[in-house]
Amino acid sequence: MTSATEAFHAARDLLLRYRDDHAGACREFRWPRFEHFNWALDHFDVIARDNDAIALNIVGDDGAEVVRSFRQLSERSSQVASHLHTLGVRRGDRVMLMLGNELALWELMLASIKLGAVVIPATLLLTVDDLRDRLERGRVRHVVTTAEQTAKFADLPGEFTRICVGAAPAGWHAYASADTAPSAFVPDAPTSADDPLLLYFTSGTTSRPKLVLHTHRSYPVGHLSTMYWIGLRPGDVHLNISSPGWAKHAWSCFFAPWNAGACVFVYNYARFHAAGLLAALEDHRVTSLCAPPTVWRMLIQEDLAACRDRLALRELIGAGEPLNPEIIEQVRSAWGLTLRDGYGQTETTAMIGNTPGQRVVPGSMGRPLPGYRVMLLDADGNEAGEGEVCLPLDDRPAGLMVGYQGGDGRNVDAMRGGYYHTGDTASRDADGYITFVGRADDVFKASGYRISPFELESTLIEHDAVAEAAVVPWPDPVRTAVPKAYILLRAGVAPSRELAADILGYSRQRLAPYKRVRRIEFVAELPKTISGKIRRVQLRAQDAERARAHGRGDAEYAEDDFAELRGVSET
């Protein structure tokens, strides 16, 4: 056991001891400090030694199971690391992992960390244009994806290694070849704790996603705060509803549970249905559940009280968007458990949260977590009762990203004035509880996915009839919101039902399903500031009022108005 392992485990064990004592944890906890640290080698392999406890259990909606112990994953990931090395993967190389919830994803994550490679997680929902952007700006050297996804790469330029999980087409290496690789893995050098580890593409207010860089310190070590927020213990069975490719998947399907020595349980469904999830919770004795509000809204439509005595649940977590107090109360009434909210970003680990055993203020996302000092700054940069959520850089938390990559000035802006600026606003009460107010920019969430209006607008204006577009969230009882576009047509083009169907169909063809524009409204002009910027806040307020009144504009159309557009839709 290395000194880095000892320091990491000492910090983790302190949080486990103080799991019901928020004040004590914040007072006593200090981020572990070390020069070298490789989480897969210095933590995972250490706790996996002779450990046959279940580390990963993937259950399909057809009942099929894939189960692996800590020992098995440790040994297999070393074998996969050896195989990747023979294919040319080296320390610092950028590896895109575009996989679903399948065993290979966890094996490859561990293997890549052991190698010192930089992982670029990618969702299966990405389009060819999305991939082109990621390959270029991410400087990808190697791609691992499924057989079904390989066609997306057929015409994409780049000299990158192609590895296929499943039946490999011509030009692709078969991941299954790792089965014959040496089982032993010896790293070529120590891993600096500040070496790059993860590069996330996350939506912003510009046309292209931001590149968020994390290190071997910031996410593996930083997620000690996430472990504490969730309330995980060794031996727990933790289920997180999240899709691979997004930061929350790494949060709660990888680092936080395995920091605690808990089992990662995955309910791998083709299409979500609440009854199936409830059955999985019961059958597999899940002890903690983390899900976005979209899922909780679906769950409370079921008879939750009927299964209360058959569940092993101890911790309930909401993540991704603020929780409605009504949902919290309905779940508490049915299960006798408090559904706890929290806050973090792709750029950070969990920084604010309602932790186990503490009073929950309805509507609040909690208090700063151990290791995080959170400040609310007003427009003049002064600390205030309401303001932008910021982190002081003179007391930099381990879980904060290195910064945005790409040299376009976004990192300078985010780190200005000696603070990391989240772009979100919140208020703090006299007891230190922080309540989310809104986003400082125009990014919104639909079904848990971050949506950049500018990106959708850039696609819409490529339609021959569209002169200008403004995308805002339209309130939705299941998805929280869906993208709605206000459309200003080109001169000489008249609005019509047929044109609305054509534009919605155009959106379906050009955008990934989670980004799909689902409502449009034709307008004669868009509200703008004196400098010419679109006032989306005015449009959002107008739609919120309409939604409450169950109304719509005179020239407004919804996707559901058109039978020809109906099909499988994602929640």
Side-chain angles (χ1 to χ4, degrees):
M1 183 181 295
T2 67
S3 59
T5 302
E6 292 174 347
F8 180 72
H9 286 174
R12 178 202 61 181
D13 293 346
L14 183 146
L15 292 178
L16 291 174
R17 287 197 304 274
Y18 282 91
R19 71 177 300 276
D20 295 315
D21 183 357
H22 176 266
C26 290
R27 181 183 65 248
E28 300 295 332
F29 177 77
R30 298 293 182 273
W31 295 110
R33 300 190 180 281
F34 25 63
E35 180 182 359
H36 296 101
F37 184 69
N38 184 300
W39 184 84
L41 296 169
D42 296 323
H43 167 66
F44 191 87
D45 279 2
V46 171
I47 67 169
R49 192 170 298 132
D50 301 322
N51 185 354
D52 290 319
I54 297 175
L56 177 65
N57 187 2
I58 304 172
V59 176
D61 51 12
D62 60 354
E65 276 191 78
V66 175
V67 179
R68 293 294 185 274
S69 69
F70 283 96
R71 177 182 58 80
Q72 288 174 314
L73 282 174
S74 173
E75 294 172 353
R76 173 61 174 174
S77 61
S78 289
Q79 185 179 40
V80 172
S82 296
H83 178 60
L84 293 177
H85 191 268
T86 65
L87 294 178
V89 180
R90 297 292 182 266
R91 182 177 299 276
D93 283 0
R94 295 183 175 184
V95 182
M96 178 186 287
L97 298 184
M98 187 176 173
L99 298 166
N101 277 318
E102 51 199 296
L103 176 61
L105 176 62
W106 281 266
E107 295 174 346
L108 283 156
M109 279 286 290
L110 287 167
S112 297
I113 295 172
K114 291 181 178 184
L115 282 164
V118 181
V119 176
I120 301 179
T123 171
L124 297 174
L125 298 174
L126 294 178
T127 65
V128 173
D129 286 342
D130 292 331
L131 291 170
R132 181 178 289 107
D133 176 51
R134 282 156 172 74
L135 290 171
E136 178 184 343
R137 290 198 294 141
R139 302 199 305 275
V140 174
R141 297 285 302 275
H142 316 276
V143 170
V144 187
T145 191
T146 64
E148 295 78 12
Q149 297 290 320
T150 55
K152 292 181 179 179
F153 294 86
D155 298 322
L156 293 177
E159 296 298 322
F160 51 89
T161 310
R162 301 168 187 244
I163 303 169
C164 176
V165 176
W172 289 75
H173 298 277
Y175 176 70
S177 298
D179 296 349
T180 60
S183 58
F185 172 76
V186 178
D188 59 1
T191 300
S192 169
D194 296 319
D195 279 350
L197 170 60
L198 285 157
L199 186 64
Y200 278 101
F201 283 69
T202 183
S203 295
T205 55
T206 62
S207 60
R208 297 196 299 179
K210 295 175 287 188
L211 280 70
V212 175
L213 183 64
H214 280 284
T215 67
H216 286 263
R217 186 191 311 274
S218 63
Y219 249 34
V221 179
H223 277 302
L224 287 172
S225 71
T226 309
M227 177 198 79
Y228 184 79
W229 166 50
I230 297 171
L232 290 166
R233 298 171 175 172
D236 277 354
V237 179
H238 180 60
L239 168 54
N240 171 53
I241 305 295
S242 181
S243 300
W246 306 100
K248 189 60 176 65
H249 195 272
W251 278 41
S252 294
C253 290
F254 197 78
F255 290 116
W258 284 350
N259 276 348
C263 169
V264 173
F265 181 85
V266 178
Y267 175 51
N268 195 21
Y269 50 86
R271 181 174 175 81
F272 179 81
H273 49 102
L277 174 59
L278 291 172
L281 292 172
E282 177 183 345
D283 294 345
H284 298 277
R285 312 303 294 162
V286 172
T287 56
S288 55
L289 170 63
C290 182
T294 299
V295 170
W296 288 111
R297 290 187 196 100
M298 293 180 179
L299 283 174
I300 61 175
Q301 304 304 314
E302 302 292 318
D303 184 3
L304 297 184
C307 61
R308 174 173 178 166
D309 294 335
R310 302 195 301 271
L311 298 177
L313 286 169
R314 187 189 69 242
E315 311 294 346
L316 303 178
I317 301 293
E321 307 156 19
L323 281 167
N324 187 309
E326 182 183 357
I327 296 176
I328 296 174
E329 185 51 43
Q330 288 192 47
V331 172
R332 182 188 289 121
S333 175
W335 284 349
L337 298 171
T338 299
L339 174 54
R340 298 183 285 107
D341 204 352
Y343 171 81
Q345 299 181 311
T346 301
E347 292 88 340
T348 69
T349 57
M351 65 172 85
I352 300 168
N354 289 293
T355 55
Q358 306 302 300
R359 178 173 67 95
V360 172
V361 174
S364 169
M365 53 194 183
R367 292 175 289 178
L369 293 168
Y372 277 94
R373 185 157 65 96
V374 177
M375 300 178 71
L376 304 183
L377 301 183
D378 63 19
D380 297 320
N382 300 315
E383 194 164 8
E386 180 172 319
E388 185 179 10
V389 179
C390 295
L391 301 176
L393 297 178
D394 62 356
D395 189 19
R396 189 185 185 102
L400 176 60
M401 66 173 177
V402 173
Y404 298 120
Q405 306 298 290
D408 56 5
R410 282 187 263 193
N411 195 63
V412 173
D413 182 60
M415 303 294 182
R416 68 188 183 278
Y419 298 91
Y420 165 63
H421 295 256
T422 65
D424 293 326
T425 57
S427 62
R428 188 185 329 234
D429 69 12
D431 296 320
Y433 284 83
I434 298 173
T435 298
F436 183 82
V437 173
R439 297 196 177 278
D441 58 19
D442 293 309
V443 172
F444 62 94
K445 286 198 171 184
S447 297
Y449 297 117
R450 289 181 61 164
I451 304 295
S452 167
F454 193 95
E455 186 177 5
L456 275 60
E457 291 159 8
S458 297
T459 297
L460 289 169
I461 62 175
E462 292 178 4
H463 188 284
D464 291 340
V466 177
E468 200 169 1
V471 172
V472 295
W474 172 267
D476 184 273
V478 174
R479 300 181 177 92
T480 300
V482 296
K484 173 186 173 179
Y486 281 86
I487 302 290
L488 183 65
L489 295 172
R490 294 184 183 276
V493 179
S496 67
R497 188 180 189 281
E498 291 74 19
L499 180 57
D502 188 66
I503 293 173
L504 288 168
Y506 182 85
S507 163
R508 292 172 70 96
Q509 294 171 1
R510 300 294 298 274
L511 295 168
Y514 70 96
K515 301 177 186 177
R516 185 177 299 158
V517 175
R518 296 181 185 271
R519 300 179 75 94
I520 65 172
E521 181 174 349
F522 297 116
V523 294
E525 62 180 0
L526 293 170
K528 295 184 179 180
T529 65
I530 193 169
S531 62
K533 294 181 179 178
I534 297 172
R535 298 195 71 246
R536 294 182 183 82
V537 63
Q538 182 174 326
L539 297 174
R540 290 198 300 269
Q542 172 181 289
D543 280 346
E545 182 62 32
R546 281 184 184 168
R548 283 192 292 271
H550 303 289
R552 64 164 68 185
D554 293 335
E556 184 173 359
Y557 300 88
E559 190 179 48
D560 290 342
D561 295 341
F562 304 96
E564 62 269 31
L565 295 179
R566 292 176 191 158
V568 177
S569 62
E570 294 72 17
T571 60

